[in-house]
Amino acid sequence: AEAMPVVALPCHAAHRFHKQCLLTSFAAAATGPACPYCRVQVSIDQLPWMTAEDRQFFETERQRFAAEREAERMAADAAQAQALQAQFLQDAELEGVNLEGTLLAAATHGHVQTIEFLLGLVNAAGERRVDVNVQNHANNDLTPLHYAAANGHVGAINALLAGGANIEARAE
């Protein structure tokens, strides 16, 4: 059996890894390639040992992991929306549920179904029960639109804008 090549990272000469394991670790990282030991960010383009074949493997693996994360996010969104709907059927007032906090979290994680459900809730007077422009006072008055945009959740951005989100809202 052929020995797996060992490579070093530029953060520290002692940080050496099997090349294939390192490339898989890089691809799995949602925040980008980083040294598994010290977590220093690594630029793929600055690794002298990267071949065209390595780059292709990395890109294929990165896409596979991204697709898995997206599937997990969508499943979590559907489960959260379903749980809120089930609770709403039992208790139309949704007693004890922080609806605006739930909207902020849904925007942060790109949970479009949950956003749409929350923005569709109205009270007896026909007024929306959740403020689409709610500000998180604990975090610089960021709105759901800020969170969705910061995390690149285009579907959530579109749902919030369709629900009347203020595109001009400013954070502190």
Side-chain angles (χ1 to χ4, degrees):
E2 187 177 324
M4 191 178 298
V6 174
V7 296
L9 290 177
C11 53
H12 194 279
H15 294 183
R16 303 175 68 76
F17 305 91
H18 288 115
K19 184 193 253 186
Q20 204 74 15
C21 296
L22 186 61
L23 290 173
T24 300
S25 171
F26 283 174
T31 58
C35 174
Y37 287 150
C38 66
R39 300 288 180 225
V40 167
Q41 292 296 119
V42 176
S43 171
I44 294 293
D45 296 328
Q46 295 176 345
L47 299 175
W49 46 262
M50 283 286 284
T51 65
E53 185 177 285
D54 293 335
R55 289 179 199 284
Q56 180 62 41
F57 173 81
F58 167 74
E59 188 57 32
T60 300
E61 286 294 283
R62 189 190 64 74
Q63 290 174 2
R64 181 176 67 83
F65 282 111
E68 288 176 6
R69 283 191 297 273
E70 179 65 10
E72 289 170 1
R73 185 191 61 74
M74 290 177 69
D77 177 24
Q80 183 181 31
Q82 195 172 35
L84 279 171
Q85 291 167 358
Q87 187 171 356
F88 182 70
L89 290 174
Q90 291 177 347
D91 174 14
E93 293 303 310
L94 290 169
E95 290 283 329
V97 177
N98 177 351
L99 298 176
E100 291 176 339
T102 303
L103 179 63
L104 287 164
T108 300
H109 299 290
H111 293 179
V112 176
Q113 290 178 35
T114 302
I115 292 167
E116 291 171 342
F117 174 76
L118 289 168
L119 295 180
L121 293 174
V122 293
N123 62 20
E127 300 164 331
R128 182 179 282 160
R129 294 191 43 205
V130 179
D131 179 5
V132 70
N133 295 305
V134 62
Q135 294 180 307
N136 182 351
H137 298 298
N139 191 8
N140 298 323
D141 290 336
L142 296 176
T143 68
L145 189 58
H146 289 124
Y147 287 108
N151 290 293
H153 298 305
V154 176
I157 293 167
N158 290 335
L160 291 163
L161 290 173
N166 179 2
I167 200 165
E168 301 291 327
R170 302 269 182 228
E172 282 187 12

